[in-house]
Amino acid sequence: MRDKGRSRKAVLSELKKILAQNIAYEDGRILCSMCTAPHSIARTAHSWFLSANLGDAGLFPGSLKLEKEAIQQLAAVLNGENSVGFIVSGGTEANLLALWAAREMAGARNPEVILPESAHFSFKKICRLLGLTPVYAGLDGAYRVKPSIVERCITRNTVAIVGTAGTTELGMIDPIEKLSDIAVTHGVYLHVDAAFGGLVIPFLRELGYAAEEFDFGLEGVKSITVDPHKMGMTPIPAGGILFRDSTFLEHIKTETPYLTEECQYTFAGTRSGASAAAAWAVFEHLGREGFRKNVRRCMLLTWFLSSQLEALGFSLVAKPQLNIVAFKAADAKQLCEKLRRQGWFASYIPRLDCIRIVVMPHLKRRHAIEFLKDLSRIAQADAEASKP
Ligand code: 0PR
């Protein structure tokens, strides 16, 4: 740190220059992210509650009320009549709290967790932290976990089964209803990672599109991750963890004797009240109708992109279930690199050797058209170059 500070003007003007080095979601060039430009009401709410600390919530009762209400707004969408939960730092912390509760409840000596092969990498971190052995279950031809394999993986050490509603790579929805039946039969905890899909699938269903059940309406589902900072259009960080009812909280409770509240349930101690305020504001302002409109727009663009990619001769890895498109190409890795040099940030997925696009609210039809033009130009040049 410098000894004598610089003027506010000098500091801010340098910051502005540095800010310009970042890519803005609004430019429509970020095709690889599950985050998006925060909704304008979220920005305002966030700035108003910047100093509130939910880690000492007795000082900020207004913020605590907003967090509780934001969780209830999510619970209403996820059929969680008695659900309780927290706005946390993201999907990773949400998944951590769920598996922590599951491990504590089971009390197994050599705890194991059954994960789909498509599970997000956050579970690798969580397994290391919690001393859980991950047992991976294989997928079917549609990239959804096979319930029969999950069932065969259950042992007396199994503390939880995880299913994903909206996989990171392809946006697939695991057969949660079947996983729920298996969990109930064997008395095993089922956690649903709907970090991405949790604010898409309910609205797709309301719009009349086919999407399977994945929420607390299924008896076996004990907890759900659903992140406002993904399809909830709030500033980062805002994850969400919901438990089926308050009995689960006992297992992740830490006493905080000298604070204004007697205990904490989150991994983070000091944590931002701004995240809860932003989530509350977006949910209140958009309502289900606003979310339906947003999801519909993203899905229409997803289908547009899919059909155009196919028309250009690219094959889709799978028919999109949510707003994620993945396609194969002759040399997908190199193509992704060439796209990046043209300013398009798509993801290359090594496991599936494909390029993947997450169709977030910041993407507009005009961005998709420009992208397709550049893609087809690069692909044509490659085809020419490989001619003998
Ligand atoms: N569960 C699922 C299904 C996820 O897709 C993710 C993140 C997580 C859990 C973990 O959430 P946090 O990152 O909030 O802890 N999925 C994205 C991914 O890893 C996150 C992301 C977002 C990546 C924006 C890149 C990016 O630019 O791909």
Side-chain angles (χ1 to χ4, degrees):
M1 192 190 293
R2 58 175 64 235
D3 185 49
K4 195 166 157 42
R6 292 156 76 192
S7 73
R8 182 186 155 87
K9 197 174 161 204
V11 172
L12 292 182
S13 105
E14 183 164 348
L15 268 185
K16 212 173 215 171
K17 272 192 223 141
I18 296 171
L19 182 62
Q21 294 172 12
N22 287 356
I23 302 162
Y25 293 109
E26 291 86 345
D27 294 344
R29 296 263 161 174
I30 300 181
L31 313 176
C32 56
S33 174
M34 285 191 167
C35 295
T36 191
H39 192 285
S40 65
I41 202 163
R43 291 173 194 260
T44 305
H46 196 267
S47 68
W48 286 2
F49 285 83
L50 265 186
S51 55
N53 172 18
L54 283 171
D56 201 4
L59 299 176
F60 307 100
S63 294
L64 185 59
K65 175 178 146 70
L66 290 180
E67 182 184 40
K68 289 208 162 113
E69 288 189 15
I71 291 296
Q72 285 320 306
Q73 287 159 320
L74 287 171
V77 170
L78 300 172
N79 284 308
E81 271 174 36
N82 301 310
S83 292
V84 290
F86 305 94
I87 300 294
V88 293
S89 60
T92 303
E93 186 181 354
N95 287 337
L96 172 72
L97 294 178
L99 291 197
W100 187 16
R103 192 198 67 176
E104 296 297 293
M105 285 168 70
R109 194 181 278 184
N110 298 304
E112 295 171 358
V113 55
I114 303 171
L115 298 164
E117 269 172 11
S118 53
H120 185 256
F121 60 77
S122 52
F123 289 103
K124 289 193 174 151
K125 302 181 190 176
I126 293 163
C127 285
R128 286 166 65 193
L129 279 171
L130 295 179
L132 298 170
T133 303
V135 178
Y136 283 97
L139 312 181
D140 63 16
Y143 302 95
R144 295 150 33 110
V145 77
K146 269 188 163 174
S148 56
I149 302 186
V150 169
E151 189 158 29
R152 262 185 271 132
C153 290
I154 296 177
T155 69
R156 60 195 162 84
N157 291 321
T158 306
V159 302
I161 297 169
V162 171
T164 315
T167 58
T168 309
E169 290 170 342
L170 297 176
M172 294 295 133
I173 307 168
D174 283 329
I176 307 295
E177 193 170 352
K178 293 209 175 99
L179 296 185
S180 168
D181 291 344
I182 292 169
V184 171
T185 306
H186 295 268
V188 177
Y189 186 110
L190 172 62
H191 171 65
V192 176
D193 180 359
F196 182 73
L199 282 171
V200 182
I201 304 164
F203 306 112
L204 272 181
R205 287 167 63 91
E206 286 177 15
L207 287 164
Y209 295 111
E212 285 175 39
E213 266 191 78
F214 72 103
D215 62 23
F216 292 116
L218 302 171
E219 190 190 340
V221 176
K222 301 295 188 255
S223 52
I224 301 180
T225 290
V226 50
D227 288 350
H229 73 196
K230 295 189 170 76
M231 283 297 284
M233 291 172 285
T234 72
I236 303 162
I241 178 66
L242 275 78
F243 291 96
R244 187 171 194 91
D245 58 54
S246 59
T247 58
F248 295 89
L249 297 188
E250 277 309 301
H251 305 279
I252 55 167
K253 176 170 156 179
T254 302
E255 285 176 5
T256 52
Y258 59 87
L259 300 186
T260 54
E261 297 274 316
E262 282 169 13
C263 50
Q264 285 184 357
Y265 301 94
T266 52
F267 183 65
T270 301
R271 61 194 181 96
S272 174
S275 304
W280 185 93
V282 174
F283 300 159
E284 270 309 281
H285 180 60
L286 291 184
R288 286 175 184 254
E289 187 193 23
F291 271 94
R292 280 196 297 273
K293 272 192 192 153
N294 191 46
V295 163
R296 187 167 177 274
R297 217 190 50 74
C298 291
M299 288 311 297
L300 288 176
L301 193 52
T302 302
W303 293 321
F304 170 72
L305 256 175
S306 308
S307 62
Q308 295 296 307
L309 284 165
E310 284 186 311
L312 288 175
F314 295 101
S315 60
L316 302 183
V317 178
K319 186 169 172 263
Q321 278 195 287
L322 303 182
N323 42 327
I324 296 179
V325 188
F327 61 98
K328 295 270 183 191
D331 187 345
K333 189 170 184 202
Q334 213 199 351
L335 179 57
C336 199
E337 199 41 58
K338 285 183 181 168
L339 284 165
R340 189 166 292 193
R341 274 186 246 129
Q342 297 292 312
W344 297 106
F345 291 82
S347 332
Y348 170 67
I349 310 275
R351 204 172 64 88
L352 302 166
D353 189 29
C354 67
I355 295 177
R356 161 250 212 197
I357 296 170
V358 189
V359 185
M360 294 302 288
H362 59 265
L363 290 185
K364 310 287 176 228
R365 204 178 149 94
R366 66 174 191 282
H367 302 132
I369 291 171
E370 264 180 66
F371 168 76
L372 289 161
K373 249 195 230 159
D374 279 355
L375 174 68
S376 115
R377 198 172 35 75
I378 296 169
Q380 256 175 18
D382 282 352
E384 287 296 322
S386 66
K387 272 190 191 156

